[in-house]
Amino acid sequence: MSQSVDTILLQDETWERVDKATGGAAAPCFQCGVCTAICPLGLVKGETISIRKMVRQAQLGLPGWADGLWECTTCLWCESRCPHEVDITRAILGLRQLAWKEREVPEGLPTLLWDVYFDGNTWGRPPSERPLWTKDVTVKEFSSDDEILLYVGDDAAYDRRIQKVGRALVSVLEAAGVTFGTLGEHEPSCGDAVRSVGHGEYAAEIIDANARLFQEAGVKTAVTVSPHSYDMFANRYPNLSGDFRPLHYSQYLLELIEGERLKFENELPLKVTYHDPCYLSRRNGICDEPRQVLQSIPGLELVEMERSREDTLCCGGGGGRMWMETAAGERFSDLRVPEAAETGAEVVVTCCPYCLSCLEDSLNVIGKGKLRVMELAEVAHLALQSGAVASDAASGRS
Amino acid sequence: MRPLQIIACVKVVPKPEEVKVDTKTMTIERGEVRSEINPPDMNVLEMALTLKEQHGGKVTVIAMGPPLFEPYMRLALAMGADEAYLLSDRAFAAADTLATSYALAQGIRKIGDYDLILCGEESSDGATAQVPPGIAEWLETSQITYAEDLEVLSDSKMVKAKRELAGGYEVIQVPLPCTVSVKIGANEPRFMDMERKVWAEADGPVTVWAASDIDVEAEMIGLPGSPTIVDGLAQAESTERKREFLEGTPEEQAKVLVERLRPYL
Amino acid sequence: MTKSLYGAKEASGIWIYLEQSQGQLEGVSLELVGKARELADGRGIPIVGVLLGDQVGDLAQEAIAAGADEVRVADDPLLRQYTTDGYARVVTEIILEGKPDILLLGATPDGRDLAGRIAVRLRTGLTADCTDLKLEEKSGLLIGEVWGFGGGVIAYIKCPDNRPQMATVRAGVFAVPKPDAARKGKVVNVPVKLSEKDIKVQVLEHVVGGGVDITRAEVLVAAGRGCQGDFTLVNELASLLDGEVGWSRVPVDEGWVSRDGMIGQTGYTTRPKLAIVCGISGAFQFTVGVEKAETIVAINIDAEAPIFEAADYCIVDDMFNVLPPLIEAVKKARGGNGGR
Ligand SMILES: Cc1cc2nc3c(=O)[nH]c(=O)nc-3n(C[C@H](O)[C@H](O)[C@H](O)COP(=O)(O)OP(=O)(O)OC[C@H]3O[C@@H](n4cnc5c(N)ncnc54)[C@H](O)[C@@H]3O)c2cc1C
Ligand code: SF4
Ligand code: SF4
């Protein structure tokens, strides 16, 4: 479309807003193009996100500037390779915040925020249903003398598939004799969804309220089911006190193993490969812990995919993409499942609700023989169950 | 083009899943329950704000209810509404649709200037859908119920909308001022603006009107003004899914299912 | 207290607003005639129908065959289509003339549009969207059963002093009575005092059958991978029920359909009264899009499918075995009467 010179010149105000929205994050960019070249969207779409182009379009106030903005999964690949350490996802989320102001957001996202606002979760379900994930298992309310707070998160609380992961984790924790509790009905949404769809202002409010809640409850160690909750608590909650220790459950399981509280004594003859969630590996450098947990299971064989650890391929669910439709053929997980299958593994193990949903979904669509997707907690639970000496607490649950 | 004066009628309702009947006192326990803006009224706000963007003018929110409604009025301001009036007085309590529509109509009269009065198609607690036509009658405006795709033709002072019918729709056009009941899901309500929220919570213009502040006759509002009375209450079976597995041949299953589904056929 | 325009002493009879569209009576109107007949019997209460339209006189006999004693017909070209102003005016005149004790209307969009307006005009009480009606033993007062709070609470409502006692009633809660062609009744033509300028409503377009998108459909039939791309039966069932068709993500992925009707987390959220879900496993990403439905029916060949956890009525079978008899049964249940 043609823009007259006048309109372009008139956009000074917009430019200021863009610069402010991105917190100057894009300023050090020297237009080398590495990010655009490496973005995995190129694998599925032919066209990748060009942060340079996007900032430029936003500056000019060109219509449609916000279009490409929503494709980014915040997988961080670009950032990890940028020679000038540009905080690319910060720029993208900043532009998304601007898009909220200009009301240029994809359908469905305002509803997501209202769901979080009125119901306290991303699924728009009643908080009273939040504790139901435990089914017939009793998990008590957290008290400050518990060793850990189990932060369940919206997905493990409500999504029937992810609930199983929560229950598996509970039986592993019980088998290790850990004292723990949850915040039950009062558990808040961690704010990851809100932040990753770019509503930083609202996320800040959530973060504030949650930090207070954790403080008041006397939480010291919080173990999360989702890497996204972990990333929030570890990196985006400035007001948590110094002795607050967030852990992803893979880290905590390793601690239990190293402390000899959790032992896998029976053989679990299973060939697995491990899919690194970006929010653990690239974002937080947690690559070894889940692998070490797997390797402590006798009989289990771990094989690697080519893209692994910090080079993992995103499942496609981050950056709010779980709430935006990705057309068949454009899903990263459609590429990932064959990669996992090629290793000859029977199970692709991961430890993120989004990864699990996306991988399982792709597996359903493409169907890869005997390959299955499991969460680390489910594998650990299976390993405990596989022997005759499985403790009572761990039996009969999945 | 003339700017539009839009009145948005908003109600705050308890979350349905939270509502319990106290079978001893036969009242509804509303104590600690979580509330929300009645979902279709969120569509009302979105429609009002969109129309304001198109035509200019002002969006005024009005509600009748207890003081606990007030924070929700501020939420409407945070979404973009200009000011809000809350009719709050014990004298308004226990009103049925006749008394409710009368009180709201009198409140709107006091606000004064209006082209469009937007209401939600029904409230999730009462589900009567009768308040909007009631307001229209008290104020002698035209009406469009179950409307979406509203288009104001401000030059000819008309409003046009798509309106739901049993198993279909019609497009009608009526003169302003008009009272409209907005179909649930007619649009996606915008999220509030956080800067506006700060303003709305601190300084947002929310005016509380008692019965004496508006021109109402005491015997026409609240319980005395309500010709209908509640003769009894019962808790419906739990809202949990029944999970009844139907047995038999497909023909037998179909027969049982059709019996179960009677109200929908 | 707000006084109605006439009082209980002057009032008598159960009157039913006979809603018609394009020369056909709405099913709910006949259901109401049948129910009124049942309530009236033994009490000697007359049942009177009120019928408005353009050349609709023939329909009066249908109401009489269903149980009405009398039908008052207002026939005029200006009443060809429903308009709030035109209809409210004529119905109010007829009511003030006849002074019924009870006035019942179907809770259709037009029925509610009219009822809400004339209830205020008559300054009387209206019990909306009833799911049952009875008469109080001693007083003979009408008691309407209504569901509030998203169906969580049932309330019984009456209107002791004002007249008429008005109620709108959901379609389908009562059965359509068997017509008795030999039944005799009185047909009274009422003069219509209406001029063109009384009607401010312009109907620009009027479409029955379709045009409702799935987020607003009252009845939804959804299919997933299990339909193997064949939506014929699903479409047939949906149109029988005046409903719409939706689907899970797989049919979109497979290219059988477009994204327009996709239900779920990244599709549309629906809130039908009834959802019939066929050949869909029930992944949570799908289920969140139908969970607001009042009633959910699931048909799936796999007894372990998670969709059954979210359903009220569960049928474990091949959808292609279940749908044909279901379609037949629905046809039978809806009887010969036209649409609603
Ligand atoms: C980020 C993300 C977002 C998503 N968003 C959505 C969304 O918005 N909407 C959505 O629907 N999905 C969504 N999905 C996909 C979702 O997870 C499921 O994969 C999908 O809903 C499955 O569709 P389905 O039930 O039709 O297919 P399947 O899961 O393959 O199930 C088919 C079912 O049909 C049954 N069946 C087969 N043949 C018959 C027969 N003849 N008669 C009866 N039953 C039969 C089978 O037993 C099975 O249960 C999303 C996934 C992800 C990862
Ligand atoms: S890789 Fe970094 S410096 Fe190079 S274009 Fe991208 S953001 Fe700019
Ligand atoms: S974060 Fe990932 S998806 Fe987003 S632009 Fe960078 S490489 Fe692409």
Side-chain angles (χ1 to χ4, degrees):
Chain A
M1 84 224 50
S2 68
Q3 286 275 322
S4 78
V5 179
D6 283 356
T7 34
I8 292 180
L9 290 179
L10 278 174
Q11 302 297 328
D12 273 6
E13 203 187 323
T14 325
W15 162 231
E16 261 173 47
R17 293 179 67 191
V18 169
D19 197 45
K20 197 169 141 229
T22 57
C29 167
F30 72 123
Q31 311 262 322
C32 72
V34 165
C35 54
T36 308
I38 200 175
C39 172
L41 280 163
L43 299 172
V44 288
K45 285 193 78 122
E47 201 181 316
T48 57
I49 294 173
S50 167
I51 183 69
R52 300 176 287 162
K53 201 169 110 206
M54 223 147 48
V55 172
R56 181 88 190 120
Q57 277 189 322
Q59 283 167 12
L60 298 178
L62 295 179
W65 64 274
D67 289 353
L69 196 55
W70 304 96
E71 309 267 349
C72 170
T73 68
T74 64
C75 77
L76 227 66
W77 213 344
C78 53
E79 234 171 276
S80 71
R81 297 301 152 89
C82 169
H84 274 225
E85 297 186 0
V86 174
D87 197 338
I88 298 173
T89 49
R90 178 159 166 220
I92 287 179
L93 294 185
L95 288 175
R96 285 186 182 178
Q97 178 74 68
L98 195 59
W100 278 98
K101 295 255 176 219
E102 314 251 309
R103 302 212 307 109
E104 289 267 0
V105 297
E107 218 181 311
L109 296 189
T111 304
L112 170 70
L113 297 200
W114 284 121
D115 284 345
V116 173
Y117 186 79
F118 282 124
D119 295 309
N121 64 78
T122 54
W123 296 96
R125 302 300 303 161
S128 53
E129 284 178 12
R130 196 168 186 107
L132 301 186
W133 62 275
T134 58
K135 290 237 160 122
D136 36 8
V137 185
T138 349
V139 175
K140 62 175 205 60
E141 288 259 336
F142 173 77
S143 77
S144 55
D145 34 303
D146 285 336
E147 288 176 81
I148 62 163
L149 168 83
L150 177 60
Y151 178 81
V152 186
D154 296 351
D155 300 297
Y158 293 98
D159 181 326
R160 291 193 187 86
R161 171 65 185 92
I162 317 296
Q163 287 177 349
K164 292 186 186 172
V165 177
R167 291 197 292 272
L169 183 56
V170 164
S171 46
V172 175
L173 293 176
E174 282 177 350
V178 177
T179 60
F180 66 97
T182 69
L183 294 177
E185 259 181 57
H186 305 290
E187 185 182 276
S189 196
C190 66
D192 167 71
V194 175
R195 176 186 171 272
S196 64
V197 298
H199 214 306
E201 292 177 357
Y202 179 38
E205 198 184 279
I206 295 176
I207 288 167
D208 238 36
N210 290 0
R212 235 174 299 128
L213 186 77
F214 288 146
Q215 221 97 44
E216 277 159 23
V219 180
K220 295 280 181 302
T221 306
V223 173
T224 73
V225 175
S226 169
H228 292 263
S229 310
Y230 166 72
D231 181 62
M232 287 299 287
F233 301 151
N235 304 319
R236 332 237 161 245
Y237 274 56
N239 295 336
L240 288 171
S241 63
D243 56 356
F244 183 90
R245 199 168 71 108
L247 288 174
H248 179 255
Y249 82 80
S250 60
Q251 297 173 293
Y252 189 60
L253 292 190
L254 186 62
E255 275 189 23
L256 293 175
I257 291 167
E258 287 175 341
E260 299 195 356
R261 295 175 67 185
L262 180 61
K263 278 200 196 86
F264 300 106
E265 292 175 334
N266 308 290
E267 293 262 321
L268 181 65
L270 200 64
K271 187 170 171 184
V272 307
T273 183
Y274 175 71
H275 163 80
D276 292 89
C278 334
Y279 270 64
L280 278 191
S281 59
R282 251 194 308 275
R283 213 168 257 283
N284 287 296
I286 302 171
C287 302
D288 290 327
E289 292 87 335
R291 287 183 170 77
Q292 280 170 279
V293 172
L294 287 172
Q295 278 158 340
S296 71
I297 299 172
L300 183 139
E301 183 193 351
L302 175 65
V303 290
E304 293 289 349
M305 288 182 267
E306 179 143 326
R307 291 190 249 231
S308 68
R309 308 183 73 96
E310 274 94 355
D311 288 338
T312 187
L313 176 63
C314 174
C315 71
R321 290 302 312 169
M322 291 301 284
W323 292 274
M324 291 172 254
E325 178 60 1
T326 309
E330 293 182 5
R331 298 175 192 150
F332 293 163
S333 47
D334 289 354
L335 302 177
R336 194 56 165 166
V337 164
E339 290 183 3
E342 258 165 48
T343 63
E346 298 157 79
V347 174
V348 47
V349 182
T350 188
C351 42
C352 167
Y354 299 164
C355 296
L356 182 67
S357 300
C358 292
L359 292 173
E360 236 170 33
D361 191 57
S362 286
L363 197 64
N364 276 341
V365 177
I366 21 194
K368 275 285 163 205
K370 57 184 171 106
L371 190 65
R372 279 180 301 152
V373 189
M374 285 174 86
E375 269 261 359
L376 182 64
E378 294 178 307
V379 177
H381 173 54
L382 188 67
L384 288 176
Q385 274 193 320
S386 69
V389 287
S391 75
D392 287 342
S395 61
R397 300 197 188 131
S398 76
Chain B
M1 207 166 19
R2 226 169 54 91
L4 283 177
Q5 301 300 324
I6 305 169
I7 310 274
C9 301
V10 166
K11 186 174 184 183
V12 178
V13 293
K15 283 280 192 181
E17 70 272 4
E18 302 257 321
V19 179
K20 296 267 168 329
V21 173
D22 184 331
T23 38
K24 276 208 204 88
T25 60
M26 284 310 242
T27 51
I28 289 166
E29 295 171 22
R30 278 179 136 171
E32 291 278 284
V33 304
R34 292 182 315 121
S35 299
E36 64 181 344
I37 292 183
N38 182 41
D41 298 351
M42 294 292 280
N43 299 118
V44 162
L45 288 167
E46 177 59 37
M47 189 176 276
L49 296 170
T50 310
L51 287 168
K52 180 186 155 181
E53 279 161 8
Q54 290 167 356
H55 298 268
K58 187 168 162 190
V59 174
T60 307
V61 176
I62 187 168
M64 184 181 92
L68 75 86
F69 277 28
E70 198 185 309
Y72 297 88
M73 302 291 98
R74 297 191 187 279
L75 201 60
L77 298 180
M79 286 171 74
D82 297 290
E83 55 176 332
Y85 293 89
L86 176 60
L87 308 182
S88 196
D89 195 317
R90 279 183 186 281
F92 290 128
D96 72 359
T97 51
L98 186 67
T100 303
S101 58
Y102 170 69
L104 285 171
Q106 292 308 92
I108 293 167
R109 246 191 248 277
K110 168 131 185 185
I111 292 169
D113 206 6
Y114 53 84
D115 300 300
L116 272 177
I117 300 165
L118 305 183
C119 309
E121 72 164 75
E122 62 180 37
S123 59
S124 64
D125 53 351
T128 71
Q130 304 302 334
V131 168
I135 293 174
E137 177 65 17
W138 288 110
L139 295 175
E140 295 176 50
T141 71
S142 59
Q143 79 185 44
I144 305 180
T145 50
Y146 305 100
E148 58 184 306
D149 300 344
L150 218 65
E151 197 183 319
V152 174
L153 315 162
S154 57
D155 294 333
S156 55
K157 298 212 170 113
M158 299 285 258
V159 55
K160 185 170 126 181
K162 182 169 163 184
R163 168 172 186 269
E164 184 194 43
L165 297 176
Y169 69 92
E170 63 182 6
V171 178
I172 65 174
Q173 185 171 311
V174 301
L176 295 175
C178 176
T179 305
V180 176
S181 84
V182 177
K183 187 86 189 104
I184 186 168
N187 49 41
E188 182 175 32
R190 68 191 61 190
F191 195 63
M192 65 189 136
D193 182 278
M194 301 310 281
E195 279 170 45
R196 259 190 97 84
K197 181 170 181 249
V198 173
W199 162 79
E201 280 170 358
D203 306 311
V206 179
T207 308
V208 179
W209 276 339
S212 56
D213 293 321
I214 59 174
D215 182 18
V216 285
E217 290 185 34
E219 69 277 16
M220 286 173 73
I221 57 171
L223 192 60
S226 300
T228 60
I229 57 173
V230 176
D231 194 45
L233 280 180
Q235 179 95 47
E237 348 169 7
S238 100
T239 45
E240 259 178 51
R241 296 293 172 193
K242 299 188 187 65
R243 304 189 56 197
E244 179 185 346
F245 283 81
L246 307 183
E247 310 286 341
T249 64
E251 284 73 17
E252 289 161 357
Q253 290 170 335
K255 214 172 133 222
V256 178
L257 185 59
V258 164
E259 273 161 33
R260 298 280 192 279
L261 299 183
R262 259 260 56 116
Y264 305 109
L265 303 184
Chain C
M1 161 105 135
T2 314
K3 274 221 164 66
S4 51
L5 302 191
Y6 61 92
K9 288 212 180 67
E10 314 159 64
S12 66
I14 304 180
W15 287 35
I16 290 120
Y17 170 70
L18 299 170
E19 183 174 340
Q20 57 82 23
S21 137
Q22 297 170 332
Q24 279 209 321
L25 279 182
E26 288 291 332
V28 63
S29 299
L30 293 172
E31 291 160 20
L32 287 176
V33 172
K35 182 65 185 180
R37 183 80 268 154
E38 183 194 314
L39 293 174
D41 277 347
R43 291 180 183 250
I45 306 172
I47 311 293
V48 179
V50 177
L51 177 63
L52 277 66
D54 181 20
Q55 302 183 351
V56 289
D58 294 351
L59 299 178
Q61 188 52 45
E62 247 182 80
I64 290 168
D69 299 308
E70 180 183 329
V71 178
R72 307 213 169 174
V73 186
D75 210 292
D76 193 284
L78 288 174
L79 296 174
R80 194 174 65 78
Q81 263 171 330
Y82 174 80
T83 55
T84 310
D85 40 13
Y87 271 54
R89 195 180 170 120
V90 173
V91 173
T92 307
E93 273 169 21
I94 296 177
I95 296 304
L96 287 177
E97 155 92 40
K99 301 195 173 57
D101 189 34
I102 293 173
L103 174 62
L104 305 176
L105 303 88
T108 58
D110 283 352
R112 288 167 160 222
D113 186 272
L114 178 66
R117 189 94 195 195
I118 62 180
V120 170
R121 196 166 293 180
L122 296 165
R123 303 286 191 268
T124 193
L126 165 58
T127 308
D129 207 21
C130 296
T131 46
D132 200 5
L133 297 174
K134 55 185 183 236
L135 296 184
E136 204 171 55
E137 204 50 50
K138 274 208 211 98
S139 63
L141 284 176
L142 178 74
I143 299 192
E145 176 191 280
V146 297
W147 295 55
F149 300 100
V153 175
I154 301 172
Y156 300 94
I157 303 204
K158 64 183 178 187
C159 176
D161 301 312
N162 297 38
R163 292 297 176 272
Q165 308 167 63
M166 284 181 64
T168 58
V169 181
R170 267 199 211 180
V173 293
F174 305 123
V176 178
K178 268 216 176 70
D180 174 3
R183 239 182 139 266
K184 291 270 177 303
K186 207 160 84 179
V187 178
V188 181
N189 281 306
V190 251
V192 178
K193 293 168 251 159
L194 207 56
S195 76
E196 228 155 277
K197 67 170 183 7
D198 293 327
I199 299 178
K200 301 265 172 13
V201 180
Q202 288 165 258
V203 180
L204 307 177
E205 209 182 311
H206 187 97
V207 179
V208 181
V212 182
D213 74 52
I214 61 162
T215 61
R216 264 148 285 169
E218 301 235 318
V219 174
L220 194 65
V221 186
R225 188 197 301 282
C227 80
Q228 294 300 331
D230 181 357
F231 282 82
T232 325
L233 293 171
V234 172
N235 285 333
E236 188 180 346
L237 181 61
S239 71
L240 257 181
L241 294 169
D242 290 331
E244 300 298 319
V245 175
W247 40 83
S248 65
R249 190 163 87 168
V250 168
V252 182
D253 291 354
E254 296 288 346
W256 301 332
V257 283
S258 74
R259 265 196 66 198
D260 295 346
M262 185 175 114
I263 298 164
Q265 184 180 6
T266 53
Y268 292 105
T269 303
T270 64
R271 45 173 73 74
K273 296 229 151 65
L274 170 66
I276 301 179
V277 177
C278 317
I280 290 178
S281 60
F284 208 57
Q285 284 85 7
F286 168 81
T287 316
V288 285
V290 282
E291 223 149 19
K292 291 193 170 90
E294 206 171 83
T295 297
I296 299 181
V297 177
I299 304 172
N300 195 303
I301 205 164
D302 172 10
E304 299 293 308
I307 190 67
F308 290 129
E309 279 182 50
D312 295 289
Y313 304 113
C314 312
I315 297 183
V316 183
D317 206 333
D318 189 325
M319 58 184 277
F320 292 99
N321 291 339
V322 179
L323 288 181
L326 183 57
I327 288 169
E328 284 316 305
V330 170
K331 275 187 190 154
K332 221 163 102 196
R334 293 199 66 171
N337 72 91
R340 343 178 348 202

